[in-house]
Amino acid sequence: MDAKTFDKSRLPSRHVTEGPARAPHRSYYYAMGLSREQIHQPFVGVATCWNEAAPCNISLMRQAQAVKQGVAAANGTPREFCTITVTDGIAMGHQGMKSSLPSREVIADSIELTMRGHCYDALIGVAGCDKSLPGMMMAMCRLNVPSIFIYGGSILPGSFKGRPVTVQDLFEAVGQYSVGKVSAEDLDELEQVACPSAGSCGAQFTANTMATVSEAIGLALPYSAGAPAPYEIRDRFCMAAGEKVMDLLALNIRPRDIVTRKALENAAAVVAATGGSTNAALHLPAIAHECGIDFDLFAVAEVLKRTPYIADLKPSGRYVAKDMFEAGGVPLLLKTLLDHGYLHGDCLTVTGRTMADNLAKVRWNPDQDVVRPADNPISPTGGVVGLRGSLAPDGAIVKVAGMTGLKFRGPARCFDCEEDAFAAVSARRYQEGDVLVIRYEGPKGGPGMREMLSTTAALYGQGMGDKLALITDGRFSGATRGFCVGHVGPEAALGGPIALLRDGDMIVLDAEKGTLDVELGQSELDKRKAAWKPRPNPFQNGYLWKYANEVGPARTGAVTHPGALVEVACYADV
């Protein structure tokens, strides 16, 4: 595409490259080796979450180079920059997890500030860890410049004593070790082989759930979300994204043209169809918020309720992301959902075509059993269910994929932080039939809404995954299994009903009806609420203080700013 196709007088980069007054600005670009032609081409921000924190991110710098080649080949000028990530697998089970969800906001904010400060015209985002995927997509929708999302790819499965394993097996092995089911020697060997390559956790945990979402919502190129990080084909997807974003720039196709209410429903549908992470019920409302669309937890739950569960993926099923890619990728999943009426085919995507057009030539692969036809599902409703009731007036969410019993009634056993609950589980200070309650772990109360994988995995490893239930105003990892209810709202820090529970109160969960109740009368709840006192924020300075004072409820995505509904003008129009 000829660079003259682009009218720089209408692009943000005109503020730093055009006219005599910008001679000092241009001198900086000459200092970095750019030519006159490159300076006057459109500038494309290439944002990555590369770091040495975890295997999720370690290959992103290499992939960014392929993106830049694609941009340059289409007569654009790529400008690479990095942002942070907090890796859940390493932050899990201690105070570091308080930084995880807040990092999503920092990622989106830092990309916005970099793009605004340097006046880039388009954006390609390359992400790996859980919160970096929605953080990138949020930034794209907030800025509303032509954008394409690229997933860094999943890790390959490990092998332990002849069977494939993931990091989920390792978290659960910790619980097995605590009850003598796994030896110290086996635990040591497993930790050395569970994660054999670069890439994000391989099962349908949060990273792969949101990667699948990126294709379904229309912000990623077809097939790009499935290829594992070590596969060389990733470079081809990256280069194609670099070239394609220049087409979007020429056609002025922007993220908010793509991320519509229907596209968000498509995204929620693939979460249900794959038994994906409950964290999607936080991230989809947050992405919608950046577009000025009201799409809260209950809107997500409505789609989950009507969509069949068809992809046999871990942690509930048998396969990992690599297997689905090799069976036909995300398009295979999308195609059967579209053919059977569970997907909107008229949504625009970053190819410049509709979802139906993208899928027109996709053929069913009968020689695989990773994904079932949508008219022959594993179960008729989605793998994730929204809940509401006297214990969760503002909603809650539970993953039911792979579960047989969908009802539970038992006495509350209350803990005011995850550490206390984990200590009780490790010492087996609980009874079968208990409902473990972990509170003051919500967005404000944590602050940071920690995931509870260490506790839930320990329970599962002890063989108690189906003998207890666990509810929290915090979150669960995509790797969590068992009757585990998260996002309970209002959270305890706001005086929600979960804060008023006492040991022995009877809790009733019904994932068939979508209800979560406590067997207490309203007068008793009112009496307890009158005696309840809010707790001070445990952080009185730094980012977590700021986050606790800004963050909204989980129901609307735990966001920290007013969103596009009150926007006067978006960055793309500066």
Side-chain angles (χ1 to χ4, degrees), residues 338 345-347 349 351-362:
L338 178 67
D346 57 346
C347 294
T349 73
T351 65
R353 301 186 298 271
T354 66
M355 180 67 70
D357 290 338
N358 289 347
L359 300 175
K361 294 184 179 179
V362 175

Side-chain angles (χ1 to χ4, degrees), residues 123-125 133-134 136-141 144-151 211-222 224 241 248 253-259 263 287 291 348-351 355 358:
L123 173 63
I124 293 179
L133 282 80
M136 284 282 182
M137 289 185 265
M138 289 164 64
M140 291 172 178
C141 294
N144 204 30
V145 293
S147 302
I148 295 179
F149 176 83
I150 289 284
Y151 181 41
T212 307
V213 159
S214 71
E215 285 195 39
I217 210 169
L219 290 174
L221 294 176
S224 65
L248 297 181
I253 296 175
R254 300 179 178 186
R256 294 184 197 173
D257 301 322
I258 292 168
V259 181
I287 293 169
C291 299
L348 184 65
T349 73
V350 291
T351 65
M355 180 67 70
N358 289 347

Side-chain angles (χ1 to χ4, degrees), residues 409-425:
R409 179 179 181 272
R413 180 81 188 282
C414 300
F415 302 94
D416 288 347
C417 66
E418 185 196 9
E419 285 83 356
D420 290 350
F422 183 73
V425 168

Side-chain angles (χ1 to χ4, degrees), residues 77-123:
T77 300
R79 309 312 297 150
E80 181 182 358
F81 62 94
C82 290
T83 184
I84 70 155
T85 56
V86 172
T87 298
D88 288 11
I90 292 175
M92 195 76 67
H94 55 88
Q95 293 288 310
M97 180 50 75
K98 293 180 184 290
S99 300
S100 172
L101 184 60
S103 76
R104 185 191 70 180
E105 312 311 303
V106 175
I107 290 164
D109 293 352
S110 63
I111 293 170
E112 177 195 357
L113 292 174
T114 300
M115 294 286 291
R116 282 186 181 277
H118 303 102
C119 298
Y120 296 155
D121 304 314
L123 173 63

Side-chain angles (χ1 to χ4, degrees), residues 95 98-99 102 447-448 537 539 541-549:
Q95 293 288 310
K98 293 180 184 290
S99 300
N537 181 356
F539 293 86
N541 70 334
Y543 186 79
L544 292 178
W545 173 87
K546 183 189 299 184
Y547 182 82
N549 282 280

Side-chain angles (χ1 to χ4, degrees), residues 41-65:
Q41 291 177 161
F43 282 5
V44 178
V46 179
T48 81
C49 296
W50 177 85
N51 60 37
E52 294 182 335
C56 327
N57 313 306
I58 203 70
S59 70
L60 301 187
M61 183 184 289
R62 174 184 64 79
Q63 294 188 44
Q65 308 319 304

Side-chain angles (χ1 to χ4, degrees), residues 225-267:
Y231 283 20
E232 292 299 321
I233 197 173
R234 291 230 56 84
D235 287 356
R236 290 165 56 189
F237 288 126
C238 291
M239 183 155 184
E243 295 173 330
K244 193 64 189 176
V245 80
M246 299 301 292
D247 289 345
L248 297 181
L249 193 58
L251 296 168
N252 197 30
I253 296 175
R254 300 179 178 186
R256 294 184 197 173
D257 301 322
I258 292 168
V259 181
T260 62
R261 173 84 186 203
K262 285 184 176 180
L264 289 158
E265 290 180 356
N266 286 350

Side-chain angles (χ1 to χ4, degrees), residues 62-76:
R62 174 184 64 79
Q63 294 188 44
Q65 308 319 304
V67 170
K68 290 160 66 177
Q69 290 175 17
V71 172
N75 295 320

